[in-house]
Amino acid sequence: MESKSVMDVALIPNIEPIDSAPGTSDKGNHMTKPRKKTMTSVYLKFFETAPDGKNRRHLSNRHPGYDKSDDGVSTPNSQPIIVVKKPQTQVKTSHVELDHLNWLLIKWLVLASLPPSTFEEKWLSNSFKFLSPPVQIWPGEKFQAVLHEVFRSMRDDIRSTLEHVSSKVSITLDFWTSYQQIFYMSVTCQWIDDTWSFHKVLLDISRVSSPCGSGEIYHTLIKVLKFYNLETRILSCTHDNSTNAVHACHTLKDDLDSQKSNPFCYVPCAARTLNSIIDDGLRSTKSVIAKIREFALEMNSSSEMMEEFSQLTSTYQEGNWKFPLDVSARWSGTYQMLDIVRKHEETHSRLLLNSAEKNAISIMHTYLEPFYKTTNDICTNKLPTVGLVLFFMDHISETITACRESRHSPDWLKNAAVDMAAKVRSYNDQVSNIFTYMTAILDPRIKIELIPESLNLENYLEEARSHFVRNYSTTHFPSMAASYGSTQELEDGGSNVSFAEEIARKRRRASMGTATDELTQYLSEPPAPIPTDVLEWWKVNSTRYPRLSVMARDFLAVQATSVAPEDLFCSKGDEVERQKQLLPVSSMQAILCVRSWTESGMKLKYKSTEIDYERLMELAENGAGGFEKKQK
């Protein structure tokens, strides 16, 4: 990019105070220099200029009431009031960067997920012109063009980054329909780097052509994978459980298997399954929940009720409630509303609940408590691995089974549990394969001991050994066998070790001489505690399991959910859905992608220029006009 760019123009000039503001009087303004009285143009219509051009002759017939028609005489009180506008003091401007304002608006556009047409609103541009007439906001077409150029520049950087990833990658798919009834698919990539840091980046927001079936999804997905050169490096795809997505992933698997490039698997979304299971459980108490939601909405709008409820929570030592209360249709909001009513009997009189409804709330709250704890743990877990999520889903299955078999459960809850159990079985059938088994046992917290019984098949273990030896053996990593001892020596103090230590290390290497022995040794040790940081555990133990750690890097990147769990279970998802549904097709891809990339830490970039927003914000706060660009 040349030294002069689209940013090298004026921003908002400094404006000195104006002598008078609208609605103020000029009286008392003693600082104004007196002017010589002159004949203004307002009165010239009552005079006629003489031929010499200097003298003027008064024309009485032009005054109201002096005309020859003699229709009447006007009094001074009936004469129109003539307002003479005082000329304003000239605005002094200093040279600052006009386009800096537009770059700040670009950032606002992205973070707020607004279409470029927002800036075509006259009230917005006039607001800036009210502060400074020279301000020029880009037209919507230019905002659109700049935004798409930013998108292309940042996408090229992502492609360059992915080319240097040494491990396998996994992808997730999510689908939605916009207000324009256009079907979209988001493709997100995950991997673990050499330092055992987890990475997640949005690859694309793709428009799926009509009729939006499995074939269209497959061709759209292949196009994205080819653009980023990922066809030979993709290990798994986690989909949204829809039939079309399942068929598209099946076609992709057949395609990759025919090329014999890489093993590939596809995984159903555990979060969407769990959300659907919970919806089945809530369906029988839908009318009561609607009544509770109305109460919570009323409480949010009434300061008196909020104060009264605050006193109740203080009495019960529950001062952690925040207002306004979460009344979204998301699962967390629904459970919290049930919790409020169950704990505070005083609210029943406001809700006008009968005894049957009170009893239903108490039963449903107790039944759903494990579900709430599960979703909360999944949402707050740093890395919800497949193994950990399967562990939670197994507990959910046990909870549902216990409800169905309990003689204390009412019939309406047992009927709901039947539908819930059917969805659990469907999910278990889809995840019961060798790939999810290998992914689960490579989580040091799970291994074989905590893996669900439905997945813990003996033939799976033998297949896992075979896959490990075939794909992660010494022949595939010749440098590992030679470097293992030197790596260990380097960590233990270099080559200055005792003869006894050398013998001990030779025996350790002999016991770990084959790839199979690494897996055997790993599985023979007890699982790590559940709070353990999985990636940190493997980072520390990678020297003990040099080959197995390579396999773990690949498989632990496989995702158990196709979307962030908090987007489904928490109120944050309401805002996410609003953004997805309201953006027009012309800006959906660019805005959502650029927003995701900037939130992940990438700098907003235009062609070869990195936009230094920290410096730009500093200049804006200080009222300065310069701007610095970082050249790549």
Side-chain angles (χ1 to χ4, degrees), residues 126-147:
N126 288 339
S127 297
F128 287 107
K129 287 183 179 296
F130 177 79
L131 296 175
S132 175
V135 166
Q136 293 292 332
I137 298 181
W138 291 339
E141 294 81 2
K142 184 167 183 178
F143 273 112
Q144 186 82 23
V146 171
L147 181 64

Side-chain angles (χ1 to χ4, degrees), residues 89-137:
T89 305
Q90 186 177 1
V91 178
K92 295 182 179 180
T93 61
S94 60
H95 176 70
V96 282
E97 300 290 346
L98 244 184
D99 271 356
H100 289 183
L101 171 62
N102 290 297
W103 280 105
L104 288 172
L105 292 177
I106 281 282
K107 190 65 175 286
W108 174 54
L109 183 93
V110 170
L111 295 180
S113 299
L114 298 172
S117 59
T118 302
F119 301 114
E120 295 176 357
E121 173 57 58
K122 292 299 182 183
W123 288 102
L124 180 64
S125 60
N126 288 339
S127 297
F128 287 107
K129 287 183 179 296
F130 177 79
L131 296 175
S132 175
V135 166
Q136 293 292 332
I137 298 181

Side-chain angles (χ1 to χ4, degrees), residues 191-203:
W191 73 93
I192 299 172
D193 66 17
D194 296 338
T195 63
W196 290 94
S197 296
F198 178 77
H199 296 271
K200 177 180 179 180
V201 62
L202 177 65
L203 297 182

